Amino acid sequence: MEAPTKTSKDRIAALNEAKERVRAGGGAERAAKQHGEGKLTARERLAALLDRDTFQETGLFAQHRALLFGMAGKPLPADGVVTGSGKVSGRTVHVASQDFTVAGGSAGEVHGNKIADSLRHSLNTGTPFVFINDSGGARVQEGIGSLAGYARVFYHNVLLSGVVPQISLICGPCAGGAAYSPALTDFIIQTRYAYMFITGPAVIKQVTNEVITAEQLGGARAQMNNSGVVHFIAENDIEAIQICKRLLSFLPSNYLEDPPRIAPDRRHMRDDTLNRILPEEPKLPYDVRDIIGKIIDREDFLEVQKEFARNIVIGFGRILGRTIGVIANQPCVLAGALDINASDKAARFIRFCNAFNIPLVTLVDVPGFLPGVDQEHGGIIRHGAKLLFAYAAATVPKLTVVIRKAYGGGYIAMCSKDLGADRVFAWPTAEIAVMGAEGAAEIVFRREIAAAHDQDARRQELIDEYRDTFATPYVSAGARLVDDIIEPAETRACLAAVLESLTSKRISRPGKKHGNIPL
């Protein structure tokens, strides 16, 4: 007796059943375990990220080809990673979301190829790429095939660099070689219960006999505060996704586009509170973020790497609806001095902004580079040179405002006129000099101070004389190193006007393969 022929209706029903089976991932029990740990599943994360009904999945039925160590005939739904495209606030992005409910999200050859293909589609379409990491690492049953998959992902991360924005979300384990893909992307958002490291606690204990937890080694706080690998910390998956969407709102889809401009905030173009925001005593600290909030639209500042190298502040804001990148010395931490980590932090941010056509606004209150044996032996010359290189190489509009101190090499490194700033403004409180008046007086007037009857009084007289002669913004303005000395209350209006005038800025640089930044 012949088997009944399947109708089209039967085939469609079978297709839908197969799709539902694959979309269920590792099943209800494993999904419940994921929820019990405070985590969403791979598909729930994408549903929260993407606009409703915009997700187009690719590789739903992809399967590994492994035959050894119990893998033969063992299907893994979507091979443990969900890939495709969708829209975030109406703009297309390409995505990959690892599924920890399927073999712990382990990455094999096909798993890696799916991610690499999604990266390639992102490159070809000029759309951002978002990678949600939640994986136990390489799929050891596949041997070198899993390593090849990783390598293809890394290769495509590099191809995309500077072409489209790449954002990584660390929402679970990200260990071993897998950590290098996020490290190759532009921004990393890590949840507090996730961890990321190259060698885990067990290996460290075996090699060094040091006992350390996964959280201490590669938790979000460790990777933000200590290593500077992470750019944002989120309490949970939902907050990580919210940060991702907010970050994307500041960025263009690719390097050929300008950042999206939103409705301009034309209120408060003058803010008289800025005229009295600085302490009367020039050595007292203040929080530069208070100034940033008053010059950007709606005080909407997305600070990047907030807890790393806190002596410098970086982040995104808007002026009259236009995205800007802000770099500012932070006087309430190390007096705003530049050190190794601050130089690295700012340099990388500047290079990102330059790659994606985001104008730079630099707020300067810097006593110089941080002195010390540790800094010198740690390579402050090499690291500080990164900051110089990044600013000098940037061709986007560059606006600098000298708020208070701008001494020595720190003055140059914070986007001085001769480093390529398009406009340099100074507040009346600005002191621009080789060094502070106190140190300069001790050198220049050493003999005169020593010969004085009242050395303290004479020292103060000469300090004041040096400050009035060299450390005022009028000297720099006279030398055309400062374009204008402005009332602090007018800072926002001045920056807005100059940004408008520089929208058509174009610079031709010498033809070359690429520069050699001091790494």
Side-chain angles (χ1 to χ4, degrees), residues 288-367:
V288 75
R289 289 172 294 193
D290 294 336
I291 295 176
I292 295 171
K294 292 179 182 299
I295 64 174
I296 61 174
D297 293 357
R298 303 176 181 89
E299 299 189 15
D300 181 19
F301 182 57
L302 179 59
E303 187 171 353
V304 178
Q305 289 183 297
K306 185 175 182 179
E307 300 300 327
F308 177 68
R310 294 185 301 115
N311 43 321
I312 202 160
V313 173
I314 60 173
F316 298 104
R318 295 183 181 90
I319 294 181
L320 294 188
R322 284 193 175 91
T323 298
I324 59 168
V326 178
I327 306 96
N329 304 113
Q330 177 58 289
C332 62
V333 180
L334 296 177
L338 295 168
D339 64 356
I340 289 170
N341 287 339
S343 298
D344 286 358
K345 173 181 173 179
R348 190 176 189 275
F349 181 72
I350 291 162
R351 287 173 67 82
F352 174 85
C353 289
N354 187 56
F356 292 103
N357 311 310
I358 298 172
L360 299 169
V361 173
T362 303
L363 304 180
V364 184
D365 189 349
V366 60

Side-chain angles (χ1 to χ4, degrees), residues 232-253:
F232 303 95
I233 294 177
E235 290 293 334
N236 50 45
D237 290 0
I238 291 297
E239 187 179 8
I241 289 165
Q242 290 171 342
I243 293 171
C244 180
K245 294 169 81 167
R246 186 180 174 203
L247 176 58
L248 285 168
S249 75
F250 285 100
L251 309 180
S253 292

Side-chain angles (χ1 to χ4, degrees), residues 317-437:
R318 295 183 181 90
I319 294 181
L320 294 188
R322 284 193 175 91
T323 298
I324 59 168
V326 178
I327 306 96
N329 304 113
Q330 177 58 289
C332 62
V333 180
L334 296 177
L338 295 168
D339 64 356
I340 289 170
N341 287 339
S343 298
D344 286 358
K345 173 181 173 179
R348 190 176 189 275
F349 181 72
I350 291 162
R351 287 173 67 82
F352 174 85
C353 289
N354 187 56
F356 292 103
N357 311 310
I358 298 172
L360 299 169
V361 173
T362 303
L363 304 180
V364 184
D365 189 349
V366 60
F369 283 92
L370 188 68
V373 174
D374 289 344
Q375 288 290 308
E376 294 292 347
H377 289 181
I380 184 62
I381 296 173
R382 173 166 50 89
H383 291 271
K386 296 179 189 180
L387 185 57
L388 294 163
F389 191 104
Y391 267 128
T395 59
V396 293
K398 295 180 283 191
L399 286 64
T400 300
V401 182
V402 182
I403 294 171
R404 203 163 62 172
K405 302 178 299 296
Y407 297 155
Y411 153 72
I412 298 172
M414 291 300 292
C415 203
S416 63
K417 189 75 170 177
D418 289 306
L419 209 61
D422 295 292
R423 295 288 192 281
V424 177
F425 298 108
W427 285 8
T429 46
E431 296 182 12
I432 304 171
V434 174
M435 63 174 63

